[in-house]
């Protein structure tokens, strides 16, 4: 009896103790049920089933996760049917399911997610890639693979990397296909590319070969040769088989398949030789999974799980990771005190559902907590790090870029959302700063359809019997550039010959027809013509079309084949030489400044030489004449006065150099005036036109009108439209006072042709715009690029110049037909010389007055000592003026010697002079004569 009580107490003690230390474990159920919905017999479903079952076994055999609890999975086959998937989901809700793995189909996911949201059961899809399955609309939907948004971004980067602009999209006509292609269209638009043609494939297993052939026949006549196929494996292989039969897997085509093909290649390899032959040269994307020891271990035991019948693909790895993620989230759920419980939805038990027994479905009470734990997970899986961003997408999306070659596949690079296209694995780039520059986007060489490594052009002219509609302006004037042969559809002219020669250099045929644009009564509006090209009404425009900024915003131009720019044409008059022709070399300001400097330099030299040079001394009248004569005689280097002071010689040296330059320039200009015919026009250029209010002519249809109004700021009321060279000549001859124009503004090629027969007018001023003529095509037209290359070839081999000479070389006016330029010499050409001379004068005078002031201070100090009292202001001024006017000794050495003699024999000399008054008087008389 005592033994029995001891045994009972022992059990009670350890039971309570066990409950105290493992409270969480005691609340954990023995079994946790999860569901899985997918198409079991599909390419993805076969490998997903094995991966899910293997993951459940691995979780249950791992004591570190869900201790004491067994994970149980229930699998439902949806058969790619949204209805069956919904039925399976409802059946799960009757069996206390806490999470669902799947589905693989985006169509099924759209339906099942509605049920999961209502009953708060997390839905983890390992293969639903539809980008519209957003977290906002479906909060309980969790994507365990990459969204098609990233896959389509990768395809867009590939298209942009190879320089293709147009893409044809063939897709499965369901949510998966339509929404994926919509994402591709958006990404291409960001790169200035587009989907030029979309075609959907019918659904269902009964799609016939004839239906696919009808679709591909339409694709074959399209312009683009870059085709993106977004479908399921069964229908995708049929498309490639028919394409090979139609010759669409040959040279010139580009086929890009989404990851459906890589999944089939990984799971079903090796494919049959016939199927592989239809895939040669195809580019394929595959979700990138970094190498790891855990991944290698799983792949090594895959053959044991499958018996070697098929291999794993990326979706199998995602399904495996989904089970492990759910297990970690459930474990965290229990650790946080979560309890698995369900409650009925009152909305389903009202009796309105009839005999459907919807009340048997219940809401998972811990669904939100489990969802939070799933989204906050940060674990390492077979596919890499499993972590979600704010949009509930897996971080670091990446794809392998694969090329189908021979009997297998070859990886030619990688794509990651971090750094774009690269030949290095994405994980090797994550430690470096992101670099999406075009120079950093790289792939290895690709073997394209047709077994060529040369990048396909990506487009051809459509083989549907349609000719390109090329608009040609039906000009009335200047028909040498472009004109229509009357009564025919034939066009000729300089522009037409250039276009024809360029097209002949293209490596392919261009079917086109010229369409005249204009009524034939006046030149058409080139602005409207370019607008029609941008809208697609015309496939291009050939003619004398100026390349200006506003037009480049809406169309693409070829390389310019002719230089152009706006110039001003005005009438002129010939200047005859007359009695006053010698004044014309200098402008009035130049004459004035030159005369002023002659006088200034004369005065400066007089100031510097007056105290030391006898030739610059004497009565005031004589000194004034000396100043004028000296300064003017330097013009001919005939001055007879010698300069003694250093400062005077310095100023004279600079001035003689200035005189030399001015004299030479004057002689050259006067010679030109007297020997060469001079032309004059009141209009000097576009600036003159801005200041005056006279009418200005321009050519009908030219961009000159818009430029003068918008850029120059000339009022529209001043502009006069002129339609022909004859109208130019008439308006210019009549002038603004007689109903004509002061000048005509037009492009240089027209003006040069006009002046070849009109010698009464000239170009005035400089060309004030720089542009060229080119052929216009719609934006992103590949023909514009190829024609630009052909135009450059024409320029290099000389054909472009020969075409120019054929149409535009005309006899010109005589040699006096040079452009009008001013024949006068202006101050701006010599202001530097005058500046140097002025600076020299100022420096010399400054040094001279410093010397005078020094002598003045010494003299004032001596007088104050001798007088014994301060000097008055008038006496100081008198002393300063006497210093300036008095003559200085020629030799400083002699002055010093005399000063020494005076200091040694001053007493005797004073006595001698004092005893001989006549000597003093004679000395004073000599000094006055010198002055």
């Amino acid at each position: 009896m005592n033994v029995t009580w001891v045994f009972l107490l022992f059990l009670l003690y350890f039971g309570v103790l066990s409950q105290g230390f493992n409270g969480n474990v005691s609340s954990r159920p023995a079994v946790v049920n999860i569901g899985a919905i997918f198409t079991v017999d599909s390419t993805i479903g076969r490998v997903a089933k094995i991966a899910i079952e293997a993951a459940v076994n691995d979780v249950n055999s791992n004591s570190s996760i869900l201790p004491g609890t067994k994970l149980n999975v229930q699998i439902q086959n949806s058969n790619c049917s949204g209805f069956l998937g919904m039925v399976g989901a409802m059946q799960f809700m009757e069996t206390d399911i806490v999470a669902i793995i799947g589905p693989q189909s985006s169509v099924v996911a759209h339906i099942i997610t509605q049920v999961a949201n209502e009953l708060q059961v997390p839905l983890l899809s390992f293969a639903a890639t539809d980008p519209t399955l957003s977290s906002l609309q479906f909060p309980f939907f969790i994507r365990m693979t990459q969204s098609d948004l990233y896959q389509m971004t990768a395809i867009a980067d590939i298209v942009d990397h190879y320089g293709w602009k147009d893409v044809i999209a063939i897709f499965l006509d369901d949510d998966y296909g339509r929404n994926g292609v919509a994402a591709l269209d958006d990404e291409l638009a960001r790169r200035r590319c587009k989907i030029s043609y979309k075609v959907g494939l019918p659904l269902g297993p009964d799609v016939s070969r004839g239906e696919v052939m009808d679709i591909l026949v339409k694709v074959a006549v399209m312009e683009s040769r870059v085709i993106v196929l977004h479908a399921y494996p069964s229908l995708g292989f049929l498309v490639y088989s028919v394409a090979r039969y139609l010759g669409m897997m040959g040279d010139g085509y580009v086929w890009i398949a989404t990851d459906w093909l890589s999944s089939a290649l990984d799971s079903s390899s090796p494919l049959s030789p016939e199927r592989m032959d239809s895939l040669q040269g195809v580019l394929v994307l595959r979700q990138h999974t970094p190498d790891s020891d855990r991944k290698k271990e799983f792949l090594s035991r895959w053959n044991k799980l499958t018996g070697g019948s098929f291999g794993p693909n990326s979706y199998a790895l995602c399904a495996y990771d989904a089970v492990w993620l759910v297990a970690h989230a459930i474990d965290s759920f229990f650790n946080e005190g979560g309890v698995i419980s369900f409650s009925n939805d009152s909305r389903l038990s009202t009796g309105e559902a009839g005999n459907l027994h919807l009340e048997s479905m219940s809401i998972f009470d811990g669904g939100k907590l489990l969802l939070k734990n799933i989204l906050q997970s940060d674990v390492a899986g077979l596919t890499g790090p499993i972590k979600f961003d704010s949009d509930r997408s897996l971080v670091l999306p990446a794809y392998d870029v694969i090329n189908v070659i021979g009997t297998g596949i070859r990886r030619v690079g990688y794509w990651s959302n971090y750094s774009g296209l690269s030949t290095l694995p994405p994980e090797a780039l994550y430690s470096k700063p992101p670099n999406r520059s075009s120079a950093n986007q790289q792939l290895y060489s690709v073997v394209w359809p047709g077994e060529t490594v040369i990048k396909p052009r990506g487009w051809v002219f459509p083989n549907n019997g349609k000719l390109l509609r090329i608009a040609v302006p039906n000009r009335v004037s200047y028909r040498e550039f472009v004109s229509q042969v009357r009564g025919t559809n034939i066009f000729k002219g300089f522009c037409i010959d250039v276009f024809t020669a360029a097209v002949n250099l293209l490596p392919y045929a261009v079917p086109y027809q010229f369409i005249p644009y204009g009524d034939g009564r006046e030149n058409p509006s080139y602005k409207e013509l370019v607008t029609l090209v941008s809208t697609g009404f015309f496939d291009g425009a050939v003619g004398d079309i100026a390349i200006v900024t506003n037009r480049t915003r809406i169309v693409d131009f070829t390389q310019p084949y002719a230089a152009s720019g706006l110039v001003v044409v005005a009438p002129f008059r010939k200047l005859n030489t007359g009695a006053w022709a010698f004044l014309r070399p200098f402008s009035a300001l130049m004459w004035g400044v030159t005369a002023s400097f002659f006088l200034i330099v004369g005065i400066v030299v007089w100031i510097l030489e007056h105290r030391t040079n006898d030739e610059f001394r004497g009565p005031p009248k004589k000194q004034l004449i000396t100043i004028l004569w000296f300064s003017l005689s330097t013009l001919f280097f005939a001055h007879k006065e010698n300069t003694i002071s250093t400062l005077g010689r310095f100023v004279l040296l600079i001035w003689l150099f200035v005189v030399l330059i001015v004299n030479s320039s004057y002689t050259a200009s006067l010679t030109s005036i007297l020997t060469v015919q001079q032309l004059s026009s009141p209009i000097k250029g576009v600036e003159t036109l801005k200041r005056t209010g006279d009418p200005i002519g321009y050519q009908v249809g030219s961009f000159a009108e818009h430029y003068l109004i918008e850029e120059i700021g000339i009022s529209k009321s001043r502009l006069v439209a002129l339609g022909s060279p004859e109208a130019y000549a008439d308006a210019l001859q009549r002038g603004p006072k007689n109903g004509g124009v002061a000048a005509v503004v037009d492009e240089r090629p027209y003006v040069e042709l006009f002046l070849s027969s009109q010698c009464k007018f000239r170009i005035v001023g400089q060309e004030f715009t720089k542009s060229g003529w080119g052929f216009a095509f719609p934006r992103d037209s590949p023909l514009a690029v190829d024609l630009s290359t052909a135009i450059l070839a024409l320029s290099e081999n000389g054909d472009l110049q020969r075409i120019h000479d054929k149409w535009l070389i005309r006899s010109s006016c005589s040699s006096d037909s040079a452009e009008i330029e001013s024949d006068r010499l202006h101050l701006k050409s010599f202001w530097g010389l005058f500046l140097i001379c002025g600076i020299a004068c100022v420096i010399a005078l400054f040094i001279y007055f410093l010397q005078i002031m020094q002598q003045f201070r010494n003299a004032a100090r001596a007088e104050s000592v001798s007088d014994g009292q301060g000097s008055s202001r008038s006496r100081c001024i008198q002393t300063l003026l006497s210093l300036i006017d008095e003559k200085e000794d020629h030799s400083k050495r002699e002055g010093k010697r005399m000063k020494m003699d005076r200091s040694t024999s001053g007493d005797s000399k004073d006595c001698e002079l004092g005893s001989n008054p006549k000597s003093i008087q004679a000395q004073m008389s000599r000094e006055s004569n010198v002055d």
Side-chain angles (χ1 to χ4, degrees):
M1 187 69 179
N2 292 334
V3 174
T4 304
W5 280 104
V6 171
F7 180 72
L8 291 175
L9 289 173
F10 180 81
L11 292 177
L12 179 63
Y13 172 79
F14 280 99
V16 172
L17 185 65
S18 175
Q19 185 174 356
F21 284 100
N22 299 288
N24 290 337
V25 176
S26 65
S27 62
R28 300 185 181 214
V31 177
V32 174
N33 294 318
I34 63 173
I37 301 177
F38 51 88
T39 303
V40 176
D41 58 349
S42 65
T43 300
I44 297 176
R46 285 193 298 268
V47 296
K49 182 175 183 297
I50 297 174
I52 291 173
E53 292 173 346
V56 171
N57 293 334
D58 292 344
V59 169
N60 290 332
S61 61
N62 192 329
S63 59
S64 63
I65 186 171
L66 292 179
T69 300
K70 180 181 179 182
L71 191 65
N72 181 50
V73 60
Q74 301 177 21
I75 298 177
Q76 292 277 1
N77 187 3
S78 65
N79 286 323
C80 287
S81 170
F83 174 75
L84 293 179
M86 182 181 64
V87 172
M90 290 181 176
Q91 292 176 348
F92 281 149
M93 302 311 170
E94 297 176 355
T95 58
D96 296 342
I97 294 294
V98 300
I100 299 176
I101 307 297
Q104 74 185 66
S105 168
S106 297
V107 177
V108 178
H110 273 280
I111 298 175
I112 298 179
T113 304
Q114 302 287 352
V115 179
N117 287 344
E118 292 296 329
L119 302 181
Q120 299 183 10
V121 176
L123 185 68
L124 292 84
S125 176
F126 56 86
T129 57
D130 183 355
T132 63
L133 289 166
S134 65
S135 58
L136 296 177
Q137 184 180 4
F138 308 111
F140 280 84
F141 176 80
I142 303 165
R143 199 193 313 270
M144 288 299 299
T145 186
Q146 298 298 343
S147 168
D148 275 344
L149 174 63
Y150 299 112
Q151 183 171 208
M152 297 307 171
T153 302
I155 293 177
D157 279 345
I158 292 174
V159 171
D160 185 55
H161 173 69
Y162 287 109
W164 301 315
K165 295 300 181 181
D166 290 351
V167 171
I168 294 176
I170 303 176
F171 58 94
L172 198 64
D173 195 11
D174 62 1
D175 292 340
Y176 159 77
R178 285 191 300 269
N179 296 331
V181 169
L184 175 61
D185 201 2
D186 292 340
E187 293 301 323
L188 288 173
R190 291 188 178 96
R191 294 156 180 80
R192 293 189 62 184
C193 307
K194 68 178 186 295
I195 298 178
S196 58
Y197 183 67
K198 301 177 185 178
V199 57
L201 296 170
L203 301 175
D206 300 328
V207 179
S208 66
R209 188 178 180 89
E211 290 177 290
V212 175
M213 186 172 295
D214 292 339
I215 293 173
L216 293 185
V217 167
K218 296 178 181 178
V219 172
V221 299
M222 296 296 167
E223 178 178 324
S224 176
R225 284 294 182 262
V226 181
I227 305 172
V228 177
L229 181 57
H230 188 48
Y232 293 146
S234 57
L235 194 55
F237 285 127
L238 178 59
V239 169
Y240 281 122
S241 176
V242 176
R244 180 169 178 260
Y245 174 78
L246 295 176
M248 298 175 64
M249 299 301 296
D251 189 20
Y253 280 90
V254 177
W255 286 87
I256 302 176
T258 52
D259 59 357
W260 65 267
L261 181 55
S262 60
S263 300
L265 291 173
D266 291 339
S267 299
S268 305
S269 184
L271 298 177
S272 64
E274 181 182 358
R275 183 163 286 183
M276 287 300 298
D277 289 342
S278 64
L279 299 175
Q280 293 302 301
V282 176
L283 279 181
V284 190
L285 293 181
R286 176 173 63 191
Q287 183 177 338
H288 175 72
T289 55
D291 294 332
S292 63
D293 295 338
R294 189 178 179 188
K295 176 183 174 182
K296 293 178 181 177
E297 187 273 333
F298 177 77
L299 295 179
S300 65
R301 62 189 179 101
W302 179 266
N303 290 333
K304 298 178 182 179
L305 298 174
T306 62
S309 57
F310 46 83
N313 56 37
S314 59
Y315 291 114
L317 305 182
C318 292
Y320 183 90
D321 286 346
V323 174
W324 271 94
L325 181 62
V326 170
H328 281 287
I330 294 175
D331 192 40
S332 299
F333 173 82
F334 288 141
N335 291 335
E336 295 177 8
V339 177
I340 295 179
S341 62
F342 297 86
S343 59
N344 293 328
D345 189 347
S346 59
R347 295 173 297 176
L348 301 178
S349 57
T350 58
E352 296 179 359
N355 296 324
L356 293 178
H357 302 291
L358 297 179
E359 67 277 1
S360 61
M361 293 188 298
S362 54
I363 298 174
F364 177 32
D365 297 328
K368 293 183 179 180
L369 178 59
L370 181 60
L371 175 66
K372 179 179 74 70
N373 290 332
I374 292 175
L375 296 176
Q376 293 179 351
S377 298
D378 187 2
V379 298
L382 299 182
T383 58
I386 303 175
K387 186 178 180 180
F388 298 94
D389 58 19
S390 58
D391 294 330
R392 298 189 182 183
S393 299
L394 289 173
V395 297
L396 305 177
Y399 287 88
D400 299 338
V401 183
I402 297 171
N403 186 203
V404 180
I405 304 174
T407 59
I409 59 177
R410 170 176 168 260
R411 184 166 52 203
V412 296
Y414 305 87
W415 177 91
S416 68
N417 197 43
Y418 185 77
S419 293
L421 298 173
S422 173
T423 55
L424 298 176
E427 50 270 17
L429 302 174
Y430 293 144
S431 59
K432 303 177 182 178
N435 187 352
R436 298 298 294 265
S437 63
S438 58
N440 196 56
Q441 305 299 296
Q442 298 177 352
L443 290 175
Y444 291 119
S445 61
V446 176
V447 178
W448 304 100
E451 298 182 356
T452 178
V453 295
I454 301 175
K455 185 199 77 171
R457 190 169 67 247
W459 67 278
V460 295
F461 285 100
N463 187 22
N464 54 9
K466 177 185 175 182
L467 300 177
L468 293 180
R469 289 167 46 85
I470 304 298
V472 179
N474 189 9
R475 293 192 58 88
V476 177
S477 61
Y478 298 111
R479 297 174 62 84
E480 292 86 351
F481 294 103
V482 58
S483 63
Q484 183 179 12
V485 178
R486 301 188 185 279
T488 68
N489 291 325
I490 300 175
F491 288 82
K492 64 179 182 178
F494 168 68
C495 304
I496 300 299
D497 282 4
V498 173
F499 177 76
T500 304
V503 169
N504 291 336
L505 292 180
L506 297 179
Y508 48 85
V510 180
Y512 65 89
Q513 60 176 342
F514 287 136
I515 307 296
Y517 177 73
D519 56 13
R521 292 188 295 272
E522 65 177 14
N523 294 334
S525 170
Y526 284 63
K527 179 181 178 181
E528 296 177 0
L529 172 60
V530 171
T531 301
L532 290 175
V533 173
S534 67
T535 60
F537 184 81
F538 292 119
D539 297 315
V542 171
D544 46 342
I545 306 171
I547 304 173
V548 295
T549 304
N550 291 336
R551 296 173 183 175
T552 58
R553 294 191 179 105
I554 58 176
V555 297
D556 283 347
F557 282 95
T558 61
Q559 172 78 16
Y561 61 87
S564 182
L566 292 179
V567 293
V568 179
V569 180
F572 70 95
R573 63 184 178 88
K574 296 181 179 181
L575 295 179
N576 298 319
T577 58
W580 303 100
F582 67 91
L583 295 176
R584 285 171 51 192
F586 286 166
S587 63
L589 181 60
M590 181 65 181
W591 279 116
V593 172
T594 303
S596 300
F597 261 84
F598 271 104
L599 182 60
I600 292 171
V601 171
I603 295 173
V604 171
V605 172
W606 176 83
I607 294 174
L608 299 175
E609 294 290 326
H610 176 67
R611 301 182 65 243
T612 59
N613 195 336
D614 291 339
E615 296 180 358
F616 288 88
R617 299 182 66 83
K621 180 178 181 181
K622 177 184 176 183
Q623 294 183 47
L624 178 60
I625 294 173
T626 300
I627 291 173
L628 296 175
W629 170 253
F630 175 81
S631 60
L632 294 176
S633 63
T634 57
L635 177 62
F636 311 101
F637 304 96
H639 52 287
K640 65 178 182 178
E641 293 81 5
N642 293 322
T643 53
I644 297 176
S645 66
T646 303
L647 295 176
R649 291 175 178 178
F650 169 71
V651 170
L652 184 60
L653 178 65
I654 299 296
W655 173 243
L656 290 178
F657 176 74
V658 174
V659 170
L660 175 65
I661 300 300
V662 173
N663 196 7
S664 301
S665 302
Y666 175 86
T667 303
S669 180
L670 183 60
T671 302
S672 176
I673 292 174
L674 297 177
T675 59
V676 179
Q677 178 64 60
Q678 299 298 311
L679 309 177
S680 176
S681 173
I683 305 297
K684 305 303 180 184
V686 68
E687 294 299 326
T688 307
L689 295 178
K690 288 178 63 177
R691 292 192 299 266
T692 65
D694 296 333
I696 304 171
Y698 70 93
Q699 185 181 174
V700 175
S702 172
F703 79 97
E705 177 187 13
H706 177 270
Y707 187 87
L708 292 173
I709 296 173
E710 300 295 333
E711 303 296 333
I712 304 299
I714 295 175
S715 173
K716 187 176 182 180
S717 61
R718 293 178 54 194
L719 301 182
V720 179
L722 303 174
S724 65
E726 293 76 16
Y728 282 20
D730 179 65
L732 289 171
Q733 286 177 348
R734 285 189 286 121
K737 297 181 179 179
N738 298 317
V741 296
V744 171
V745 176
D746 205 351
E747 296 178 70
R748 179 174 285 274
Y750 302 124
V751 170
E752 290 177 347
L753 196 60
F754 170 71
L755 295 180
S756 66
S757 58
Q758 297 288 339
C759 298
K760 299 178 181 179
F761 315 104
R762 295 292 180 269
I763 296 175
V764 295
Q766 301 296 321
E767 185 176 300
F768 56 93
T769 65
K770 294 290 184 182
S771 62
W773 288 352
F775 306 132
F777 293 93
R779 295 299 296 269
D780 303 321
S781 172
L783 189 58
V785 178
D786 291 348
L787 278 178
S788 294
T789 304
I791 291 172
L792 288 176
L794 290 175
S795 177
E796 292 171 358
N797 61 26
D799 289 344
L800 190 60
Q801 184 62 42
R802 283 188 283 272
I803 296 174
H804 176 275
D805 296 343
K806 170 186 174 183
W807 288 98
L808 304 181
I809 293 297
R810 296 288 184 273
S811 59
S812 59
C813 297
S814 59
S815 59
D816 63 352
S817 63
E819 295 181 9
I820 297 176
E821 295 182 359
S822 176
D823 51 22
R824 286 191 168 186
L825 299 176
H826 293 270
L827 178 62
K828 64 182 180 181
S829 302
F830 301 94
W831 71 268
L833 291 173
F834 287 117
L835 178 63
I836 294 173
C837 184
I839 293 174
C841 293
V842 172
I843 293 174
L845 289 175
F846 179 73
I847 297 174
Y848 171 77
F849 280 112
L850 284 180
Q851 295 174 350
I852 292 295
M853 294 305 298
Q854 180 66 29
Q855 295 179 16
F856 170 71
R857 283 195 296 269
N858 294 336
R861 191 181 302 113
E863 288 181 2
S864 62
V865 172
S866 62
D867 296 344
Q869 58 184 0
S871 302
S872 63
R873 178 176 299 178
S874 61
R875 187 173 182 181
C876 290
I877 295 174
Q878 183 179 2
T879 303
L880 177 61
L881 293 177
S882 65
L883 285 174
I884 295 175
D885 186 60
E886 72 178 3
K887 183 179 183 300
E888 187 177 359
D889 292 337
H890 291 83
S891 175
K892 292 184 178 180
R893 182 179 299 175
E894 183 179 355
K896 292 181 179 179
R897 184 180 60 79
M898 292 178 65
K899 185 177 179 181
M900 291 177 63
D901 291 343
R902 240 189 262 110
S903 62
T904 55
S905 60
D907 295 339
S908 60
K909 188 175 181 181
D910 289 342
C911 294
E912 181 181 357
L913 290 174
S915 62
N916 191 357
K918 292 182 178 181
S919 299
I920 296 175
Q921 185 177 1
Q923 176 70 20
M924 294 177 62
S925 176
R926 286 195 299 268
E927 290 182 357
S928 64
N929 290 334
V930 172
D931 294 340

